[in-house]
Amino acid sequence: SAVISQKPSRDICQRGTSLTIQCQVDSQVTMMFWYRQQPGQSLTLIATANQGSEATYESGFVIDKFPISRPNLTFSTLTVSNMSPEDSSIYLCSVRVRGQGETQYFGPGTRLLVL
Amino acid sequence: AQSVTQLGSHVSVSEGALVLLRCNYSSSVPPYLFWYVQYPNQGLQLLLKYTSAATLVKGINGFEAEFKKSETSFHLTKPSAHMSDAAEYFCAVSVAGSARQLTFGSGTQLTVLP
């Protein structure tokens, strides 16, 4: 498996501000992903974080709103920009680990409340 | 494209009773299937996975699931529910290929009654 940490674990932010979420993994990672889980909902993939290049975004998500960096194999950040109350969600980092194929492991999530 | 349907957004069982959470998938190619559990205020924990080996898969905490291709199902079961099993359960599917995305079902909230 993999040990995944996220910072911060939770935050309360004001409308119009931005928050950067960090994800750190202790294993050799083949792929990293960012998901959003809106209140009472399932998980939606935001983007695949690519090392050294621009992230690959899913339909409905754009780089200006959710800029992502992945400077190395085991670290990534997701920024939620110009936040509104609709951005209140849990944001989860997920990884695939070398040697474990399609299996994805998830971080503990960052619980964001936007006022 | 693949998809997952979880029947029953809420399931209640008595402590000690059988747990059955239903998951049906749609995929044009052989799928990989997963069950995750999410306890309150926590991330997702992998319960078990099917990756084209044995069709009956055993996971953690006494859970198991059976892959039935003819029924396109991957239902999760546990013979005897425990209070600590109360959580949200998600079924997910992915397929090998260039996208290799993990698609989640809508989730089932399991309540265990004393």
Side-chain angles (χ1 to χ4, degrees):
Chain A
S1 64
V3 177
I4 306 169
S5 61
Q6 285 186 233
K7 293 180 180 179
S9 59
R10 61 181 64 241
D11 207 343
I12 301 173
C13 300
Q14 295 298 318
R15 181 196 301 261
T17 62
S18 298
L19 177 71
T20 295
I21 302 168
Q22 298 180 2
C23 175
Q24 179 72 54
V25 189
D26 73 337
S27 306
Q28 289 195 4
V29 169
T30 56
M31 300 184 77
M32 293 184 80
F33 308 90
W34 286 99
Y35 287 81
R36 181 175 73 181
Q37 185 180 23
Q38 295 178 298
Q41 303 292 318
S42 186
L43 282 77
T44 302
L45 180 64
I46 297 172
T48 302
N50 300 309
Q51 184 194 359
S53 65
E54 192 172 290
T56 304
Y57 289 85
E58 297 301 305
S59 175
F61 297 96
V62 296
I63 188 171
D64 290 347
K65 176 66 176 177
F66 297 101
I68 289 171
S69 77
R70 188 181 172 191
N72 58 53
L73 282 175
T74 60
F75 182 80
S76 178
T77 66
L78 167 74
T79 299
V80 186
S81 303
N82 188 25
M83 289 183 285
S84 68
E86 292 71 34
D87 295 318
S88 298
S89 295
I90 303 172
Y91 293 86
L92 297 115
C93 174
S94 177
V95 303
R96 286 188 181 145
V97 176
R98 192 173 303 280
Q100 298 199 31
E102 304 290 326
T103 303
Q104 276 183 230
Y105 299 96
F106 286 81
T110 295
R111 284 150 182 79
L112 172 62
L113 176 63
V114 183
L115 302 176
Chain B
Q2 66 269 23
S3 66
V4 174
T5 301
Q6 290 184 241
L7 295 176
S9 59
H10 291 84
V11 171
S12 294
V13 300
S14 298
E15 190 174 20
L18 171 71
V19 176
L20 171 61
L21 305 183
R22 300 178 185 274
C23 172
N24 288 88
Y25 70 91
S26 172
S27 173
S28 58
V29 298
Y32 300 99
L33 293 159
F34 307 84
W35 275 100
Y36 289 88
V37 60
Q38 185 176 35
Y39 298 103
N41 297 313
Q42 297 188 25
L44 271 69
Q45 180 180 6
L46 180 66
L47 270 179
L48 48 80
K49 61 183 178 182
Y50 167 77
T51 56
S52 74
T55 56
L56 181 62
V57 181
K58 293 188 184 298
I60 62 172
N61 302 337
F63 284 93
E64 64 181 35
E66 185 172 9
F67 173 70
K68 292 187 176 180
K69 184 178 179 180
S70 61
E71 300 177 6
T72 61
S73 69
F74 190 58
H75 301 331
L76 182 71
T77 61
K78 182 174 180 178
S80 177
H82 191 273
M83 297 296 289
S84 61
D85 295 326
E88 184 93 22
Y89 291 80
F90 292 96
C91 182
V93 62
S94 73
V95 296
S98 59
R100 299 168 67 190
Q101 295 178 9
L102 195 60
T103 301
F104 282 86
S106 55
T108 298
Q109 180 68 47
L110 176 66
T111 299
V112 182
L113 304 171

